[in-house]
Amino acid sequence: MGQCVTKCKNPSSTLGSKNGERDSGSKSHSKRSAVHKDDHGSACGKLSGDILVNGTKKTDAAVESSQPPTFAGDTKKDSVCSAEESSLQKIGELFRRYKDEREDAILEEGMERFCNDLCVDPTEFKVLVLAWKFQAATMCKFTRKEFFEGCKAINADSIDGICARFPSLLNEAKQEDKFKDLYRFTFQFGLDSEEGQRSLHREIAIALWKLVFTQNKPPILDQWLHFLIKNPSGIKGISRDTWNMFLNFTQVIGPDLSNYSEDEAWPSLFDTFVEWEMERRKKEEETQSVLCSDTEGLCGDEQT
């Protein structure tokens, strides 16, 4: 941050000394008149040169004019700057409370204490939203830069301040464009950047899909996750393309999957899912039909 205090330099000034000698002895009238005229002129010169009309000394006025004027805007700017510095100090103190002893970051242990103080579970949706606003690159870790920039982004510098921001952050995450950004962030957030991962482990992807759709769960989500748990195709990971396209899938394809077409540019995993789900539903209907027939038969036997 730049300096908030303006330094003023007051120029030094010196006052000249008066040098006037009065003639003594008998001199001619003309000479005395000349001297009187000269003294009068000299006195007037000093008055006009050193004293202004309002009675202020010229040197004092020069000093005052050299000082920059103070405006209301300058005072407001200094106040804002001081508030920002105070807020940064509070953020720094908050960060040091949870940071690791060896690494300049908040790691798993510190994150647990941080979440406890926020009265949230580390696996809660609120924590994901907070990580999104902090633009955290890795799970269970906030670097110094991420923490400082994140707190400034949500305008909070204390535990109470962060807690007070949760309602507005959750509402923000409901907006379509904001949720899309959060959804795409979640994929990157789930990767292990240190290992250079490019796809999510299937189990991690399932957990993150449950988490990110906490507030706006699509009707097809349960069937999709059930498919991934059963894993008939034997997949090990979810690619970025599959992750991103699933959001489009939930917005375009209806719960009955009747408008899905393999001719469109969907990931092949979606083709497998739709085929598997339609077959599962067919078997379920047949089972229900058999149960109903058996029930009707039993009811008929009881009536006879």
Side-chain angles (χ1 to χ4, degrees), residues 111 114-115 118-134 136 139 142 162 165-176 178-187 189 206-218 221 243 247:
M111 193 69 73
F114 180 52
C115 290
L118 290 173
C119 297
V120 296
D121 189 281
T123 61
E124 198 171 337
F125 180 65
K126 288 180 181 179
V127 179
L128 175 64
V129 173
L130 193 64
W132 167 54
K133 297 304 291 186
F134 282 26
M139 284 185 179
F142 285 148
I162 295 174
R165 292 287 291 146
F166 276 137
S168 61
L169 294 177
L170 295 179
N171 285 330
E172 181 180 348
K174 291 179 181 179
Q175 301 173 22
E176 184 176 351
K178 298 294 184 180
F179 178 75
K180 183 177 181 180
D181 187 64
L182 168 62
Y183 180 83
R184 296 198 169 192
F185 162 84
T186 303
F187 178 87
F189 183 61
I206 291 172
L208 290 178
W209 260 314
K210 289 180 180 179
L211 184 62
V212 75
F213 282 117
T214 296
Q215 293 192 134
N216 52 345
K217 180 181 176 181
L221 180 64
W243 176 274
L247 180 60

Short mmCIF file of all heavy atoms in Angstrom, two decimals, residues 111 114-115 118-134 136 139 142 162 165-176 178-187 189 206-218 221 243 247:
data_model
loop_
_atom_site.label_atom_id
_atom_site.label_comp_id
_atom_site.label_asym_id
_atom_site.label_seq_id
_atom_site.Cartn_x
_atom_site.Cartn_y
_atom_site.Cartn_z
N MET A 111 -6.90 -25.78 9.26
CA MET A 111 -8.19 -25.66 8.60
C MET A 111 -9.31 -26.20 9.49
O MET A 111 -10.42 -25.64 9.52
CB MET A 111 -8.16 -26.41 7.27
CG MET A 111 -9.33 -26.10 6.35
SD MET A 111 -9.28 -24.40 5.72
CE MET A 111 -7.94 -24.54 4.53
N PHE A 114 -9.95 -23.61 12.07
CA PHE A 114 -10.62 -22.49 11.41
C PHE A 114 -12.11 -22.79 11.21
O PHE A 114 -12.97 -21.95 11.51
CB PHE A 114 -9.92 -22.24 10.06
CG PHE A 114 -10.48 -21.10 9.26
CD1 PHE A 114 -10.66 -19.85 9.82
CD2 PHE A 114 -10.82 -21.28 7.92
CE1 PHE A 114 -11.17 -18.79 9.07
CE2 PHE A 114 -11.33 -20.23 7.17
CZ PHE A 114 -11.50 -18.99 7.74
N CYS A 115 -12.42 -23.98 10.74
CA CYS A 115 -13.81 -24.38 10.52
C CYS A 115 -14.56 -24.50 11.85
O CYS A 115 -15.74 -24.14 11.93
CB CYS A 115 -13.87 -25.70 9.75
SG CYS A 115 -13.36 -25.58 8.02
N LEU A 118 -15.55 -21.19 12.91
CA LEU A 118 -16.65 -20.70 12.05
C LEU A 118 -17.94 -21.47 12.29
O LEU A 118 -18.97 -21.12 11.71
CB LEU A 118 -16.25 -20.83 10.57
CG LEU A 118 -15.15 -19.90 10.05
CD1 LEU A 118 -14.77 -20.29 8.62
CD2 LEU A 118 -15.60 -18.44 10.09
N CYS A 119 -17.87 -22.51 13.13
CA CYS A 119 -19.03 -23.36 13.42
C CYS A 119 -19.58 -24.04 12.16
O CYS A 119 -20.79 -24.11 11.94
CB CYS A 119 -20.14 -22.55 14.10
SG CYS A 119 -19.65 -21.88 15.71
N VAL A 120 -18.66 -24.51 11.33
CA VAL A 120 -19.05 -25.24 10.12
C VAL A 120 -18.23 -26.53 10.05
O VAL A 120 -17.13 -26.62 10.60
CB VAL A 120 -18.81 -24.41 8.83
CG1 VAL A 120 -19.70 -23.18 8.82
CG2 VAL A 120 -17.34 -24.01 8.69
N ASP A 121 -18.80 -27.51 9.34
CA ASP A 121 -18.08 -28.76 9.11
C ASP A 121 -17.16 -28.59 7.90
O ASP A 121 -17.56 -27.95 6.91
CB ASP A 121 -19.09 -29.89 8.86
CG ASP A 121 -18.42 -31.25 8.83
OD1 ASP A 121 -17.82 -31.58 7.78
OD2 ASP A 121 -18.50 -31.97 9.84
N PRO A 122 -15.94 -29.12 7.95
CA PRO A 122 -15.03 -28.96 6.81
C PRO A 122 -15.58 -29.50 5.50
O PRO A 122 -15.15 -29.07 4.42
CB PRO A 122 -13.79 -29.76 7.25
CG PRO A 122 -13.83 -29.73 8.73
CD PRO A 122 -15.28 -29.78 9.10
N THR A 123 -16.54 -30.45 5.57
CA THR A 123 -17.12 -31.02 4.35
C THR A 123 -18.41 -30.31 3.96
O THR A 123 -19.11 -30.76 3.05
CB THR A 123 -17.41 -32.52 4.55
OG1 THR A 123 -18.35 -32.68 5.62
CG2 THR A 123 -16.14 -33.28 4.89
N GLU A 124 -18.73 -29.21 4.61
CA GLU A 124 -19.97 -28.49 4.36
C GLU A 124 -19.89 -27.62 3.11
O GLU A 124 -18.80 -27.18 2.71
CB GLU A 124 -20.29 -27.62 5.58
CG GLU A 124 -21.73 -27.14 5.68
CD GLU A 124 -22.00 -26.48 7.02
OE1 GLU A 124 -21.28 -26.77 8.00
OE2 GLU A 124 -22.95 -25.67 7.09
N PHE A 125 -21.04 -27.35 2.52
CA PHE A 125 -21.11 -26.55 1.29
C PHE A 125 -20.56 -25.14 1.52
O PHE A 125 -19.94 -24.56 0.62
CB PHE A 125 -22.56 -26.48 0.81
CG PHE A 125 -22.76 -25.68 -0.45
CD1 PHE A 125 -22.20 -26.10 -1.65
CD2 PHE A 125 -23.51 -24.52 -0.44
CE1 PHE A 125 -22.39 -25.36 -2.82
CE2 PHE A 125 -23.70 -23.77 -1.59
CZ PHE A 125 -23.14 -24.20 -2.78
N LYS A 126 -20.76 -24.60 2.71
CA LYS A 126 -20.27 -23.26 3.01
C LYS A 126 -18.75 -23.18 2.85
O LYS A 126 -18.22 -22.16 2.38
CB LYS A 126 -20.64 -22.86 4.44
CG LYS A 126 -22.11 -22.57 4.66
CD LYS A 126 -22.37 -22.19 6.11
CE LYS A 126 -23.84 -21.92 6.37
NZ LYS A 126 -24.09 -21.58 7.80
N VAL A 127 -18.07 -24.24 3.23
CA VAL A 127 -16.61 -24.26 3.13
C VAL A 127 -16.18 -24.29 1.66
O VAL A 127 -15.20 -23.65 1.28
CB VAL A 127 -16.03 -25.46 3.89
CG1 VAL A 127 -14.50 -25.50 3.77
CG2 VAL A 127 -16.43 -25.39 5.37
N LEU A 128 -16.92 -25.01 0.84
CA LEU A 128 -16.63 -25.03 -0.60
C LEU A 128 -16.81 -23.63 -1.19
O LEU A 128 -15.98 -23.17 -1.98
CB LEU A 128 -17.54 -26.02 -1.31
CG LEU A 128 -17.42 -26.06 -2.85
CD1 LEU A 128 -16.03 -26.51 -3.27
CD2 LEU A 128 -18.49 -26.97 -3.45
N VAL A 129 -17.89 -22.95 -0.80
CA VAL A 129 -18.14 -21.60 -1.30
C VAL A 129 -17.03 -20.65 -0.84
O VAL A 129 -16.57 -19.80 -1.61
CB VAL A 129 -19.52 -21.10 -0.82
CG1 VAL A 129 -19.72 -19.63 -1.19
CG2 VAL A 129 -20.64 -21.94 -1.44
N LEU A 130 -16.60 -20.80 0.41
CA LEU A 130 -15.52 -19.96 0.93
C LEU A 130 -14.22 -20.22 0.16
O LEU A 130 -13.51 -19.28 -0.19
CB LEU A 130 -15.33 -20.23 2.42
CG LEU A 130 -14.45 -19.23 3.18
CD1 LEU A 130 -15.08 -17.85 3.18
CD2 LEU A 130 -14.22 -19.70 4.61
N ALA A 131 -13.93 -21.48 -0.11
CA ALA A 131 -12.74 -21.83 -0.89
C ALA A 131 -12.82 -21.24 -2.29
O ALA A 131 -11.81 -20.80 -2.86
CB ALA A 131 -12.59 -23.34 -0.96
N TRP A 132 -14.03 -21.21 -2.84
CA TRP A 132 -14.25 -20.62 -4.16
C TRP A 132 -13.95 -19.12 -4.14
O TRP A 132 -13.27 -18.60 -5.02
CB TRP A 132 -15.69 -20.89 -4.58
CG TRP A 132 -16.21 -20.12 -5.74
CD1 TRP A 132 -15.65 -20.03 -6.99
CD2 TRP A 132 -17.39 -19.32 -5.80
NE1 TRP A 132 -16.41 -19.23 -7.81
CE2 TRP A 132 -17.49 -18.79 -7.11
CE3 TRP A 132 -18.40 -19.03 -4.88
CZ2 TRP A 132 -18.56 -17.97 -7.50
CZ3 TRP A 132 -19.45 -18.22 -5.27
CH2 TRP A 132 -19.52 -17.69 -6.56
N LYS A 133 -14.45 -18.42 -3.13
CA LYS A 133 -14.20 -16.98 -3.02
C LYS A 133 -12.73 -16.70 -2.74
O LYS A 133 -12.20 -15.67 -3.15
CB LYS A 133 -15.06 -16.37 -1.92
CG LYS A 133 -16.57 -16.48 -2.16
CD LYS A 133 -16.98 -15.86 -3.47
CE LYS A 133 -16.85 -14.37 -3.50
NZ LYS A 133 -17.40 -13.77 -4.75
N PHE A 134 -12.05 -17.63 -2.04
CA PHE A 134 -10.62 -17.48 -1.77
C PHE A 134 -9.78 -17.95 -2.95
O PHE A 134 -8.56 -17.78 -2.94
CB PHE A 134 -10.23 -18.28 -0.53
CG PHE A 134 -10.59 -17.62 0.78
CD1 PHE A 134 -11.64 -16.72 0.87
CD2 PHE A 134 -9.89 -17.92 1.93
CE1 PHE A 134 -11.98 -16.11 2.07
CE2 PHE A 134 -10.21 -17.33 3.14
CZ PHE A 134 -11.26 -16.42 3.22
N ALA A 136 -8.94 -20.95 -3.73
CA ALA A 136 -7.97 -21.92 -3.21
C ALA A 136 -7.61 -22.94 -4.29
O ALA A 136 -8.48 -23.44 -4.99
CB ALA A 136 -8.54 -22.63 -1.99
N MET A 139 -7.38 -28.55 -1.82
CA MET A 139 -8.22 -28.85 -0.67
C MET A 139 -7.42 -28.76 0.62
O MET A 139 -6.23 -29.08 0.65
CB MET A 139 -8.81 -30.26 -0.79
CG MET A 139 -9.95 -30.40 -1.76
SD MET A 139 -10.62 -32.08 -1.68
CE MET A 139 -11.95 -31.97 -2.87
N PHE A 142 -5.00 -23.09 2.61
CA PHE A 142 -5.08 -21.70 2.19
C PHE A 142 -3.68 -21.11 2.27
O PHE A 142 -3.07 -21.10 3.35
CB PHE A 142 -6.01 -20.88 3.10
CG PHE A 142 -7.47 -21.13 2.89
CD1 PHE A 142 -8.36 -21.03 3.95
CD2 PHE A 142 -7.98 -21.45 1.64
CE1 PHE A 142 -9.72 -21.24 3.78
CE2 PHE A 142 -9.33 -21.68 1.44
CZ PHE A 142 -10.21 -21.57 2.52
N ILE A 162 -16.65 -13.14 8.73
CA ILE A 162 -16.81 -14.19 7.73
C ILE A 162 -18.15 -14.89 7.92
O ILE A 162 -18.87 -15.15 6.94
CB ILE A 162 -15.65 -15.21 7.83
CG1 ILE A 162 -14.32 -14.54 7.48
CG2 ILE A 162 -15.90 -16.39 6.89
CD1 ILE A 162 -13.10 -15.42 7.69
N ARG A 165 -21.00 -13.09 6.48
CA ARG A 165 -21.04 -13.04 5.02
C ARG A 165 -21.62 -14.31 4.40
O ARG A 165 -21.96 -14.32 3.22
CB ARG A 165 -19.63 -12.81 4.48
CG ARG A 165 -19.04 -11.46 4.79
CD ARG A 165 -19.68 -10.38 3.97
NE ARG A 165 -19.33 -10.51 2.57
CZ ARG A 165 -20.12 -10.20 1.54
NH1 ARG A 165 -21.34 -9.81 1.77
NH2 ARG A 165 -19.70 -10.33 0.30
N PHE A 166 -21.73 -15.39 5.17
CA PHE A 166 -22.20 -16.66 4.61
C PHE A 166 -23.57 -16.56 3.91
O PHE A 166 -23.73 -17.10 2.80
CB PHE A 166 -22.25 -17.74 5.69
CG PHE A 166 -20.92 -18.42 5.91
CD1 PHE A 166 -20.47 -18.70 7.19
CD2 PHE A 166 -20.13 -18.79 4.84
CE1 PHE A 166 -19.25 -19.32 7.40
CE2 PHE A 166 -18.90 -19.41 5.03
CZ PHE A 166 -18.46 -19.68 6.32
N PRO A 167 -24.59 -15.92 4.50
CA PRO A 167 -25.89 -15.86 3.82
C PRO A 167 -25.82 -15.23 2.43
O PRO A 167 -26.40 -15.75 1.47
CB PRO A 167 -26.74 -15.01 4.77
CG PRO A 167 -26.13 -15.23 6.12
CD PRO A 167 -24.66 -15.34 5.86
N SER A 168 -25.09 -14.13 2.29
CA SER A 168 -24.99 -13.48 0.99
C SER A 168 -24.16 -14.31 0.01
O SER A 168 -24.44 -14.34 -1.19
CB SER A 168 -24.37 -12.08 1.13
OG SER A 168 -23.06 -12.15 1.67
N LEU A 169 -23.16 -15.03 0.52
CA LEU A 169 -22.34 -15.89 -0.35
C LEU A 169 -23.17 -17.06 -0.87
O LEU A 169 -23.04 -17.45 -2.04
CB LEU A 169 -21.12 -16.41 0.42
CG LEU A 169 -20.08 -15.37 0.83
CD1 LEU A 169 -18.97 -16.03 1.64
CD2 LEU A 169 -19.50 -14.65 -0.37
N LEU A 170 -24.02 -17.62 -0.02
CA LEU A 170 -24.88 -18.73 -0.46
C LEU A 170 -25.90 -18.25 -1.49
O LEU A 170 -26.20 -18.97 -2.45
CB LEU A 170 -25.59 -19.34 0.75
CG LEU A 170 -24.69 -20.02 1.79
CD1 LEU A 170 -25.51 -20.57 2.94
CD2 LEU A 170 -23.87 -21.14 1.15
N ASN A 171 -26.42 -17.05 -1.31
CA ASN A 171 -27.34 -16.49 -2.30
C ASN A 171 -26.63 -16.22 -3.62
O ASN A 171 -27.20 -16.44 -4.70
CB ASN A 171 -27.96 -15.20 -1.77
CG ASN A 171 -29.03 -15.44 -0.71
OD1 ASN A 171 -29.70 -16.48 -0.73
ND2 ASN A 171 -29.19 -14.51 0.21
N GLU A 172 -25.41 -15.76 -3.53
CA GLU A 172 -24.62 -15.50 -4.75
C GLU A 172 -24.40 -16.80 -5.53
O GLU A 172 -24.46 -16.81 -6.76
CB GLU A 172 -23.27 -14.89 -4.36
CG GLU A 172 -22.39 -14.55 -5.56
CD GLU A 172 -21.06 -13.95 -5.15
OE1 GLU A 172 -20.90 -13.58 -3.97
OE2 GLU A 172 -20.16 -13.85 -6.02
N ALA A 173 -24.19 -17.89 -4.80
CA ALA A 173 -23.93 -19.18 -5.45
C ALA A 173 -25.17 -19.74 -6.14
O ALA A 173 -25.07 -20.68 -6.94
CB ALA A 173 -23.42 -20.19 -4.42
N LYS A 174 -26.35 -19.17 -5.87
CA LYS A 174 -27.57 -19.61 -6.52
C LYS A 174 -27.75 -18.99 -7.90
O LYS A 174 -28.53 -19.50 -8.72
CB LYS A 174 -28.79 -19.27 -5.65
CG LYS A 174 -28.87 -20.07 -4.35
CD LYS A 174 -30.09 -19.64 -3.54
CE LYS A 174 -30.19 -20.42 -2.24
NZ LYS A 174 -31.37 -19.98 -1.42
N GLN A 175 -27.07 -17.90 -8.16
CA GLN A 175 -27.16 -17.24 -9.46
C GLN A 175 -26.54 -18.13 -10.53
O GLN A 175 -25.49 -18.73 -10.32
CB GLN A 175 -26.45 -15.89 -9.42
CG GLN A 175 -27.00 -14.93 -8.38
CD GLN A 175 -26.18 -13.66 -8.26
OE1 GLN A 175 -25.45 -13.28 -9.19
NE2 GLN A 175 -26.28 -12.98 -7.13
N GLU A 176 -27.20 -18.20 -11.67
CA GLU A 176 -26.80 -19.17 -12.70
C GLU A 176 -25.35 -19.00 -13.14
O GLU A 176 -24.60 -19.97 -13.22
CB GLU A 176 -27.73 -19.04 -13.91
CG GLU A 176 -27.45 -20.07 -14.99
CD GLU A 176 -28.45 -19.99 -16.13
OE1 GLU A 176 -29.43 -19.26 -16.01
OE2 GLU A 176 -28.22 -20.67 -17.15
N LYS A 178 -22.92 -17.39 -11.56
CA LYS A 178 -22.01 -17.60 -10.43
C LYS A 178 -21.88 -19.09 -10.12
O LYS A 178 -20.79 -19.58 -9.82
CB LYS A 178 -22.50 -16.85 -9.21
CG LYS A 178 -22.56 -15.34 -9.38
CD LYS A 178 -21.18 -14.75 -9.54
CE LYS A 178 -21.24 -13.23 -9.61
NZ LYS A 178 -19.90 -12.62 -9.76
N PHE A 179 -23.02 -19.81 -10.19
CA PHE A 179 -22.96 -21.24 -9.90
C PHE A 179 -22.11 -21.98 -10.95
O PHE A 179 -21.37 -22.90 -10.61
CB PHE A 179 -24.35 -21.85 -9.86
CG PHE A 179 -24.33 -23.34 -9.62
CD1 PHE A 179 -24.05 -23.84 -8.36
CD2 PHE A 179 -24.55 -24.23 -10.65
CE1 PHE A 179 -24.00 -25.22 -8.13
CE2 PHE A 179 -24.51 -25.60 -10.44
CZ PHE A 179 -24.23 -26.10 -9.17
N LYS A 180 -22.22 -21.55 -12.18
CA LYS A 180 -21.41 -22.18 -13.23
C LYS A 180 -19.92 -22.01 -12.93
O LYS A 180 -19.12 -22.94 -13.12
CB LYS A 180 -21.74 -21.57 -14.59
CG LYS A 180 -20.99 -22.22 -15.75
CD LYS A 180 -21.42 -21.62 -17.08
CE LYS A 180 -20.69 -22.29 -18.24
NZ LYS A 180 -21.11 -21.71 -19.54
N ASP A 181 -19.56 -20.82 -12.45
CA ASP A 181 -18.16 -20.56 -12.09
C ASP A 181 -17.76 -21.41 -10.89
O ASP A 181 -16.66 -22.00 -10.86
CB ASP A 181 -17.98 -19.08 -11.78
CG ASP A 181 -16.52 -18.71 -11.55
OD1 ASP A 181 -15.73 -18.82 -12.51
OD2 ASP A 181 -16.16 -18.32 -10.43
N LEU A 182 -18.64 -21.50 -9.89
CA LEU A 182 -18.38 -22.34 -8.72
C LEU A 182 -18.25 -23.81 -9.13
O LEU A 182 -17.36 -24.53 -8.65
CB LEU A 182 -19.51 -22.17 -7.71
CG LEU A 182 -19.56 -23.18 -6.54
CD1 LEU A 182 -18.30 -23.08 -5.68
CD2 LEU A 182 -20.81 -22.97 -5.70
N TYR A 183 -19.14 -24.26 -10.02
CA TYR A 183 -19.14 -25.65 -10.46
C TYR A 183 -17.82 -26.01 -11.14
O TYR A 183 -17.23 -27.05 -10.86
CB TYR A 183 -20.31 -25.87 -11.42
CG TYR A 183 -20.43 -27.28 -11.95
CD1 TYR A 183 -21.06 -28.28 -11.20
CD2 TYR A 183 -19.90 -27.63 -13.20
CE1 TYR A 183 -21.16 -29.58 -11.68
CE2 TYR A 183 -20.00 -28.92 -13.68
CZ TYR A 183 -20.63 -29.89 -12.92
OH TYR A 183 -20.73 -31.18 -13.39
N ARG A 184 -17.35 -25.15 -12.01
CA ARG A 184 -16.09 -25.42 -12.72
C ARG A 184 -14.88 -25.31 -11.78
O ARG A 184 -13.90 -26.04 -11.93
CB ARG A 184 -15.95 -24.46 -13.90
CG ARG A 184 -17.03 -24.67 -14.95
CD ARG A 184 -16.67 -24.08 -16.29
NE ARG A 184 -17.61 -24.51 -17.32
CZ ARG A 184 -17.41 -24.35 -18.62
NH1 ARG A 184 -16.32 -23.74 -19.04
NH2 ARG A 184 -18.31 -24.77 -19.48
N PHE A 185 -14.97 -24.39 -10.82
CA PHE A 185 -13.91 -24.28 -9.82
C PHE A 185 -13.78 -25.58 -9.02
O PHE A 185 -12.67 -26.01 -8.69
CB PHE A 185 -14.21 -23.11 -8.87
CG PHE A 185 -13.44 -23.17 -7.58
CD1 PHE A 185 -12.15 -22.69 -7.49
CD2 PHE A 185 -14.01 -23.72 -6.43
CE1 PHE A 185 -11.44 -22.77 -6.31
CE2 PHE A 185 -13.31 -23.80 -5.24
CZ PHE A 185 -12.02 -23.32 -5.18
N THR A 186 -14.93 -26.19 -8.72
CA THR A 186 -14.94 -27.38 -7.87
C THR A 186 -14.11 -28.51 -8.46
O THR A 186 -13.44 -29.26 -7.73
CB THR A 186 -16.39 -27.85 -7.63
OG1 THR A 186 -17.13 -26.78 -7.05
CG2 THR A 186 -16.44 -29.05 -6.70
N PHE A 187 -14.15 -28.67 -9.79
CA PHE A 187 -13.34 -29.72 -10.42
C PHE A 187 -11.86 -29.48 -10.15
O PHE A 187 -11.14 -30.39 -9.71
CB PHE A 187 -13.61 -29.77 -11.92
CG PHE A 187 -12.78 -30.79 -12.65
CD1 PHE A 187 -13.22 -32.10 -12.75
CD2 PHE A 187 -11.56 -30.46 -13.22
CE1 PHE A 187 -12.46 -33.07 -13.41
CE2 PHE A 187 -10.79 -31.41 -13.88
CZ PHE A 187 -11.24 -32.72 -13.98
N PHE A 189 -10.53 -27.67 -7.88
CA PHE A 189 -10.30 -27.72 -6.44
C PHE A 189 -10.09 -29.15 -5.96
O PHE A 189 -9.33 -29.40 -5.03
CB PHE A 189 -11.51 -27.10 -5.73
CG PHE A 189 -11.38 -27.02 -4.24
CD1 PHE A 189 -10.37 -26.28 -3.64
CD2 PHE A 189 -12.29 -27.66 -3.42
CE1 PHE A 189 -10.25 -26.20 -2.26
CE2 PHE A 189 -12.18 -27.59 -2.04
CZ PHE A 189 -11.17 -26.85 -1.46
N ILE A 206 -17.74 -38.21 -7.08
CA ILE A 206 -19.08 -38.48 -6.52
C ILE A 206 -19.34 -37.57 -5.32
O ILE A 206 -20.41 -36.96 -5.20
CB ILE A 206 -19.20 -39.97 -6.13
CG1 ILE A 206 -19.21 -40.85 -7.38
CG2 ILE A 206 -20.47 -40.20 -5.30
CD1 ILE A 206 -19.14 -42.34 -7.09
N ALA A 207 -18.35 -37.49 -4.42
CA ALA A 207 -18.50 -36.65 -3.23
C ALA A 207 -18.65 -35.17 -3.60
O ALA A 207 -19.48 -34.46 -3.02
CB ALA A 207 -17.29 -36.83 -2.31
N LEU A 208 -17.88 -34.71 -4.57
CA LEU A 208 -17.95 -33.30 -4.97
C LEU A 208 -19.25 -32.98 -5.71
O LEU A 208 -19.78 -31.87 -5.57
CB LEU A 208 -16.74 -32.94 -5.83
CG LEU A 208 -15.40 -32.89 -5.09
CD1 LEU A 208 -14.27 -32.58 -6.06
CD2 LEU A 208 -15.44 -31.85 -3.97
N TRP A 209 -19.78 -33.94 -6.50
CA TRP A 209 -21.07 -33.71 -7.16
C TRP A 209 -22.18 -33.56 -6.11
O TRP A 209 -23.05 -32.71 -6.23
CB TRP A 209 -21.39 -34.85 -8.13
CG TRP A 209 -21.08 -34.50 -9.55
CD1 TRP A 209 -21.41 -33.35 -10.21
CD2 TRP A 209 -20.38 -35.31 -10.51
NE1 TRP A 209 -20.97 -33.37 -11.52
CE2 TRP A 209 -20.33 -34.57 -11.73
CE3 TRP A 209 -19.80 -36.57 -10.47
CZ2 TRP A 209 -19.74 -35.06 -12.89
CZ3 TRP A 209 -19.20 -37.07 -11.63
CH2 TRP A 209 -19.17 -36.32 -12.83
N LYS A 210 -22.14 -34.39 -5.09
CA LYS A 210 -23.13 -34.26 -4.00
C LYS A 210 -23.01 -32.89 -3.33
O LYS A 210 -24.01 -32.25 -3.02
CB LYS A 210 -22.92 -35.36 -2.96
CG LYS A 210 -23.30 -36.75 -3.41
CD LYS A 210 -23.05 -37.75 -2.28
CE LYS A 210 -23.42 -39.17 -2.70
NZ LYS A 210 -23.14 -40.16 -1.61
N LEU A 211 -21.77 -32.46 -3.12
CA LEU A 211 -21.52 -31.23 -2.40
C LEU A 211 -21.91 -29.99 -3.20
O LEU A 211 -22.61 -29.10 -2.71
CB LEU A 211 -20.05 -31.16 -2.00
CG LEU A 211 -19.61 -29.97 -1.15
CD1 LEU A 211 -20.34 -29.99 0.20
CD2 LEU A 211 -18.10 -30.00 -0.95
N VAL A 212 -21.48 -29.93 -4.45
CA VAL A 212 -21.68 -28.72 -5.24
C VAL A 212 -23.15 -28.49 -5.59
O VAL A 212 -23.59 -27.36 -5.79
CB VAL A 212 -20.82 -28.75 -6.53
CG1 VAL A 212 -21.40 -29.70 -7.56
CG2 VAL A 212 -20.64 -27.35 -7.11
N PHE A 213 -23.94 -29.58 -5.62
CA PHE A 213 -25.37 -29.45 -5.93
C PHE A 213 -26.22 -29.39 -4.66
O PHE A 213 -27.41 -29.70 -4.69
CB PHE A 213 -25.83 -30.61 -6.80
CG PHE A 213 -25.46 -30.49 -8.24
CD1 PHE A 213 -24.60 -31.41 -8.84
CD2 PHE A 213 -25.95 -29.45 -9.01
CE1 PHE A 213 -24.26 -31.31 -10.18
CE2 PHE A 213 -25.62 -29.33 -10.36
CZ PHE A 213 -24.77 -30.26 -10.95
N THR A 214 -25.63 -28.96 -3.55
CA THR A 214 -26.35 -28.90 -2.28
C THR A 214 -27.59 -28.03 -2.37
O THR A 214 -28.66 -28.38 -1.87
CB THR A 214 -25.43 -28.36 -1.17
OG1 THR A 214 -24.35 -29.28 -0.96
CG2 THR A 214 -26.18 -28.18 0.13
N GLN A 215 -27.47 -26.87 -3.01
CA GLN A 215 -28.58 -25.91 -3.05
C GLN A 215 -29.52 -26.10 -4.23
O GLN A 215 -30.67 -25.65 -4.16
CB GLN A 215 -28.03 -24.47 -3.07
CG GLN A 215 -27.31 -24.06 -1.81
CD GLN A 215 -27.04 -22.57 -1.75
OE1 GLN A 215 -27.27 -21.93 -0.74
NE2 GLN A 215 -26.54 -22.00 -2.83
N ASN A 216 -29.08 -26.70 -5.28
CA ASN A 216 -29.92 -26.85 -6.48
C ASN A 216 -29.72 -28.24 -7.09
O ASN A 216 -29.12 -28.39 -8.15
CB ASN A 216 -29.62 -25.75 -7.51
CG ASN A 216 -28.15 -25.65 -7.84
OD1 ASN A 216 -27.31 -26.19 -7.13
ND2 ASN A 216 -27.84 -24.97 -8.93
N LYS A 217 -30.22 -29.21 -6.41
CA LYS A 217 -30.03 -30.60 -6.82
C LYS A 217 -30.87 -30.93 -8.05
O LYS A 217 -32.10 -30.80 -8.04
CB LYS A 217 -30.41 -31.52 -5.66
CG LYS A 217 -30.27 -33.00 -5.97
CD LYS A 217 -30.69 -33.83 -4.77
CE LYS A 217 -30.66 -35.32 -5.07
NZ LYS A 217 -31.11 -36.13 -3.90
N PRO A 218 -30.24 -31.36 -9.16
CA PRO A 218 -31.00 -31.73 -10.37
C PRO A 218 -31.70 -33.07 -10.17
O PRO A 218 -31.19 -33.94 -9.44
CB PRO A 218 -29.93 -31.81 -11.45
CG PRO A 218 -28.66 -32.08 -10.72
CD PRO A 218 -28.78 -31.41 -9.38
N LEU A 221 -29.62 -36.37 -10.63
CA LEU A 221 -28.35 -36.53 -9.91
C LEU A 221 -28.26 -37.88 -9.21
O LEU A 221 -27.22 -38.56 -9.31
CB LEU A 221 -28.17 -35.40 -8.90
CG LEU A 221 -26.86 -35.47 -8.09
CD1 LEU A 221 -25.65 -35.31 -9.01
CD2 LEU A 221 -26.85 -34.40 -7.00
N TRP A 243 -17.00 -33.64 -16.53
CA TRP A 243 -17.49 -32.85 -15.41
C TRP A 243 -18.27 -31.62 -15.90
O TRP A 243 -19.40 -31.36 -15.46
CB TRP A 243 -16.34 -32.42 -14.51
CG TRP A 243 -16.74 -31.52 -13.38
CD1 TRP A 243 -16.87 -30.17 -13.40
CD2 TRP A 243 -17.10 -31.93 -12.04
NE1 TRP A 243 -17.28 -29.70 -12.18
CE2 TRP A 243 -17.43 -30.75 -11.33
CE3 TRP A 243 -17.15 -33.15 -11.38
CZ2 TRP A 243 -17.82 -30.77 -9.99
CZ3 TRP A 243 -17.54 -33.18 -10.05
CH2 TRP A 243 -17.87 -32.00 -9.37
N LEU A 247 -23.11 -30.61 -16.20
CA LEU A 247 -23.95 -29.47 -15.84
C LEU A 247 -24.90 -29.15 -17.00
O LEU A 247 -26.10 -28.90 -16.79
CB LEU A 247 -23.09 -28.25 -15.50
CG LEU A 247 -23.86 -26.98 -15.11
CD1 LEU A 247 -24.74 -27.22 -13.88
CD2 LEU A 247 -22.90 -25.83 -14.85
#
